[in-house]
Amino acid sequence: MKEGLWIGGGNQFVFKEYSNKLDTNDYYATGDYSSLGIKDYKSTDDTTVWLYPDLNAVYKKGRWAIFSNFGVYAGGGSLSYDEGTSATTLMFLQGAAKMKEAAGQYKLMAQGAAANSDNTSATAYATKAYQYGELATASIKMAQDHSLDVTSITYGIQLGAAYLVTDWLSLSAAYRYTIGTQDMTLKCNDPNFKTINGSNKISYDAAGYGQSMVFGIHAKPPVVPKLDLSLQYQTLSRIEYNVDNVKGNIAQYYDITNDKNFRTDLPAVLNLGAGYHVLDNLYVSTSFNYYFNDFAHQDSILSETDYDNSWEIALGVDYRFCKYVGASIGASYGNQGTTDTSNSTFNPVLDNIVVGGGFEIYPTDQLTVSLSCLYANYFDTDYYLGSKSSSTKTVLSKDVINAGIGVTYHFN
């Protein structure tokens, strides 16, 4: 890299379709969803993400370089399911069953108190029975017809420095500060639900903050001068969210309460890379990423998630046609750490094959403009909400097309 100040920025446009298909023939509690007004359905989110920005700066002088970054490290988009998700549907159905059971128990207690002429207790128990009966009704209405909107963004800033130890070895270290924001809204327009809940929605906001370090090594071994080797390690970023602004009378019965805490960490990551100049204008590279999910909490407000470690491997080719134009193509395979009982209906985590390519245009020696596009093919997977022997199956799938644009300028 030439000396001076380099500033680059860009944006990605994400065209996605996430879906979860509820298999209503497999409801372990009743064996039949239709009696509860639940039919087979496939709930889909196809919200386009128009803003997914990044901004980078590097200043190089002699053997030193100082760099900074602003970007979105996780999430970054909105999800909108007009028919809810299989997970929320089952959550409300199972909640309704528990509330019906509680209503029945309080009714029996009221009858017992009345038989003993304890009218005060009988009235209190009868009131509880009525309240839980109403909550059960509201939960069934929500399960039958509700929508879900979720926004989750984890963004942050990074500041670091690199030093050229020898002519062929450089070391770097950076500090990263992350900010996570989440909000969720569940809506049901049934009049009975509105009356019992106090409004047509259950909603919350949440925010969390994390810190981590990033360490890197870059080597160009003298024995193979055209070879690049790199290693980077990102430490765990522990992000504990605090819930605020909860709305909806029945939210508390689903453990959605103000000041509740839950963790959605960014796991530690090991990145390995290698590249080789086959020709002066032809560069071949490969990379391997390993995510230490075992040591991270990646929960949501509604449930705990236990992901295994995951990994990705990629291969790419860069070719410089002339002074003004270059191109690249690449492909990767990702093996995610999910199991058939540990996943997310909101944002499915699926094994995938990704292919992509792009162009770089160099109008001047100082200016670079890049254009890119990728397609991610995700493999459908069965997800069991509960233990596999006594649970309901939902089928998760998604497709993503991503387009990006970037501009870099070098100030001599």
Side-chain angles (χ1 to χ4, degrees):
M1 178 179 284
K2 296 179 180 179
E3 290 197 348
L5 175 64
W6 301 73
I7 294 180
N11 187 58
Q12 299 179 56
F13 309 92
V14 184
F15 307 91
K16 58 183 172 63
E17 182 178 286
Y18 297 174
S19 67
N20 55 97
K21 181 181 179 183
L22 183 64
D23 185 352
T24 62
N25 295 319
D26 191 29
Y27 183 40
Y28 75 92
T30 66
D32 181 15
Y33 278 109
S34 60
S35 63
L36 298 173
I38 307 299
K39 300 179 180 179
D40 285 337
Y41 73 85
K42 181 178 181 180
S43 185
T44 301
D45 161 73
D46 57 3
T47 308
T48 299
V49 179
W50 296 107
L51 183 63
Y52 200 104
D54 66 273
L55 181 64
N56 306 277
V58 179
Y59 180 75
K60 181 175 182 284
K61 182 69 174 179
R63 289 182 173 270
W64 283 96
I66 298 173
F67 57 88
S68 63
N69 162 267
F70 167 83
V72 179
Y73 301 128
S78 297
L79 303 172
S80 182
Y81 293 96
D82 292 339
E83 295 157 333
T85 68
S86 52
T88 50
T89 295
L90 295 181
M91 180 183 74
F92 287 117
L93 284 180
Q94 292 164 3
K98 292 178 181 178
M99 291 168 186
K100 281 184 177 181
E101 182 179 356
Q105 291 174 347
Y106 277 115
K107 185 176 181 180
L108 291 175
M109 293 167 66
Q111 292 171 350
N116 292 323
S117 300
D118 185 355
N119 295 328
T120 300
S121 296
T123 300
Y125 292 144
T127 300
K128 282 286 189 180
Y130 174 79
Q131 290 174 341
Y132 274 97
E134 291 287 277
L135 290 170
T137 298
S139 295
I140 290 176
K141 293 299 182 182
M142 180 65 102
Q144 291 172 345
D145 183 14
H146 72 278
S147 63
L148 170 67
D149 293 293
V150 179
T151 300
S152 178
I153 303 173
T154 303
Y155 61 95
I157 56 174
Q158 183 172 287
L159 180 64
Y163 181 69
L164 186 64
V165 181
T166 70
D167 291 340
W168 59 273
L169 178 68
S170 64
L171 305 176
S172 66
Y175 167 78
R176 178 184 291 174
Y177 184 77
T178 52
I179 302 169
T181 62
Q182 293 185 16
D183 64 75
M184 181 181 74
T185 300
L186 292 151
K187 288 184 180 180
C188 175
N189 291 320
D190 180 82
N192 290 332
F193 175 82
K194 291 180 182 179
T195 299
I196 297 167
N197 187 59
S199 69
N200 70 332
K201 66 182 180 180
I202 299 171
S203 63
Y204 77 91
D205 299 327
Y209 307 91
Q211 302 179 74
S212 59
M213 296 295 294
V214 182
F215 302 98
I217 301 173
H218 179 212
K220 296 176 69 69
V223 293
V224 189
K226 294 184 178 182
L227 177 66
D228 286 296
L229 298 175
S230 64
L231 180 150
Q232 184 186 82
Y233 181 73
Q234 305 173 36
T235 66
L236 170 75
S237 181
R238 185 183 188 277
I239 304 177
E240 183 168 339
Y241 287 83
N242 181 261
V243 179
D244 190 21
N245 198 28
V246 173
K247 296 180 180 178
N249 293 338
I250 74 169
Q252 60 183 307
Y253 297 95
Y254 291 93
D255 200 24
I256 302 175
T257 58
N258 286 321
D259 290 326
K260 177 181 178 178
N261 294 322
F262 64 93
R263 282 174 57 185
T264 309
D265 303 334
L266 297 180
V269 186
L270 176 65
N271 309 114
L272 303 174
Y276 186 77
H277 278 281
V278 179
L279 302 171
D280 289 341
N281 60 345
L282 178 63
Y283 187 72
V284 178
S285 60
T286 185
S287 64
F288 177 79
N289 306 318
Y290 193 83
Y291 301 84
F292 296 91
N293 298 320
D294 279 344
F295 302 100
H297 292 259
Q298 295 176 309
D299 306 329
S300 72
I301 192 174
L302 301 179
S303 64
E304 294 184 357
T305 304
D306 184 20
Y307 291 155
D308 294 331
N309 293 341
S310 58
W311 54 270
E312 300 164 341
I313 189 168
L315 178 68
V317 178
D318 294 81
Y319 186 77
R320 186 75 174 259
F321 292 101
C322 62
K323 179 181 178 180
Y324 300 103
V325 180
S328 62
I329 58 173
S332 70
Y333 172 74
N335 184 288
Q336 305 303 314
T338 58
T339 66
D340 53 15
T341 57
S342 182
N343 211 306
S344 170
T345 55
F346 299 167
N347 181 12
V349 181
L350 309 176
D351 294 351
N352 57 81
I353 292 177
V354 179
V355 293
F359 290 93
E360 284 193 335
I361 303 169
Y362 312 93
T364 70
D365 291 339
Q366 288 79 34
L367 179 64
T368 302
V369 179
S370 61
L371 304 170
S372 62
C373 185
L374 67 79
Y375 170 70
N377 178 42
Y378 293 90
F379 306 126
D380 293 359
T381 189
D382 294 342
Y383 173 37
Y384 292 85
L385 297 161
S387 65
K388 195 170 182 179
S389 61
S390 59
S391 60
T392 299
K393 183 179 77 174
T394 185
V395 180
L396 304 179
S397 61
K398 67 179 181 180
D399 289 292
V400 173
I401 295 175
N402 187 317
I405 183 170
V407 177
T408 301
Y409 193 83
H410 175 212
F411 297 86
N412 293 324

